[in-house]
Amino acid sequence: MNCENYCVQNCPPSIYYVPDFITKEEECSIMQAVDKTPKPRWTQLSNRRLINYGGVPHPKGMIAEDIPSWLGQYVDRINQLNVYEEGIKANHVLINEYLPGQGIMPHLDGPLFYPTITTISCGSHTVLEYYDQIEDGVSDSSGSLVRHHTASILLEPRSLLVVKDDMYHKYLHSIAAREDDVIDDKVMNLAMASKVNTGDKLQRTKRISLTIRHVPKTSKMKIKIF
């Protein structure tokens, strides 16, 4: 698969969107495996919960853990796409669970990760919002930043999103905390989506996202998690 064939147009560089990257059977298998995850493996945040596989990223280095085989097959599939530089392989998976009404504030993924992320969506759709931070010319010397909406990306179930270049380094991304999404002309990949039109109102259900990426700084120590 050549990712260049899936580049989202009219966006800063670079976003790639691949619909139906996994099958419905694979999606079901992923969601069942996540549902069976013991509660102590989850990290509970105020607005959602998550699991780290491969280790917990840290500025001093991630102590590497084995990634379970049911998840490793998708890491291998991402590595086969050659979205990273030669010799770099994904070694970390962040699983996020979003229930209807849950989201995430605008943020950058930052320097702990190689600046290319890949995300597989399961269960529900969502809409990813991107913002540019521009210095407010009329502000005082504090140099406050104003967020300008740059693009919306519809993430359908079973799709793959690849983000790199300026869209990784410069543009904040977020998911609004709401229970439905009205599709408008800010959705830049609408022509690549299936059976979704401007004006459609999509109800959210439970979404599981697999964000597969590379953590450059890791410890030589390796832990097995069963």
Side-chain angles (χ1 to χ4, degrees):
M1 187 187 82
N2 184 355
C3 278
E4 293 301 324
N5 295 332
Y6 298 91
C7 185
V8 179
Q9 303 300 315
N10 302 317
C11 278
S14 301
I15 291 183
Y16 305 90
Y17 179 76
V18 184
D20 295 315
F21 180 72
I22 61 173
T23 66
K24 289 185 178 180
E25 291 75 20
E26 289 172 326
E27 176 188 40
C28 183
S29 177
I30 289 170
M31 296 194 74
Q32 288 177 348
V34 171
D35 283 343
K36 292 176 182 176
T37 303
K39 193 172 182 180
R41 285 289 290 145
W42 289 92
T43 298
Q44 183 67 53
L45 305 180
S46 60
N47 59 340
R48 69 188 191 286
R49 60 178 186 163
L50 56 84
I51 313 170
N52 282 284
Y53 280 113
V56 178
H58 191 275
K60 292 184 178 180
M62 179 179 77
I63 298 176
E65 300 173 356
D66 285 340
I67 294 175
S69 58
W70 69 266
L71 194 53
Q73 61 180 308
Y74 302 104
V75 176
D76 291 342
R77 197 180 302 183
I78 293 298
N79 285 328
Q80 291 167 8
L81 298 179
N82 298 318
V83 296
Y84 310 107
E85 291 179 10
E86 186 175 350
I88 293 178
K89 300 292 185 183
N91 60 0
H92 180 263
V93 184
L94 178 66
I95 295 181
N96 275 296
E97 178 192 72
Y98 293 94
L99 302 179
Q102 294 180 339
I104 186 169
M105 295 293 290
H107 67 286
L108 296 171
D109 284 347
L112 288 183
F113 308 100
Y114 182 85
T116 295
I117 64 163
T118 63
T119 300
I120 299 171
S121 294
C122 301
S124 177
H125 82 283
T126 198
V127 175
L128 196 59
E129 311 281 1
Y130 279 90
Y131 297 89
D132 191 7
Q133 290 194 112
I134 299 176
E135 189 168 343
D136 184 355
V138 298
S139 66
D140 58 25
S141 58
S142 64
S144 63
L145 295 174
V146 178
R147 291 174 185 160
H148 290 262
H149 185 273
T150 300
S152 300
I153 303 294
L154 173 64
L155 303 185
E156 298 173 289
R158 301 177 295 282
S159 67
L160 171 70
L161 180 76
V162 181
V163 179
K164 59 198 310 183
D165 305 322
D166 277 357
M167 283 305 253
Y168 181 93
H169 290 290
K170 182 178 177 183
Y171 293 88
L172 306 172
H173 59 282
S174 67
I175 296 173
R178 55 185 176 232
E179 297 188 358
D180 55 57
D181 297 284
V182 177
I183 303 304
D184 58 25
D185 58 7
K186 295 177 182 177
V187 177
M188 296 301 178
N189 64 324
L190 189 57
M192 308 168 79
S194 58
K195 299 179 181 178
V196 179
N197 299 299
T198 302
D200 287 353
K201 186 176 183 179
L202 307 180
Q203 296 292 328
R204 294 186 189 176
T205 57
K206 182 170 78 171
R207 174 175 175 262
I208 298 295
S209 66
L210 313 181
T211 298
I212 300 172
R213 50 197 172 183
H214 174 76
V215 178
K217 192 174 182 180
T218 60
S219 168
K220 293 180 180 180
M221 183 187 304
K222 195 167 188 178
I223 298 176
K224 289 186 178 181
I225 300 294
F226 298 98

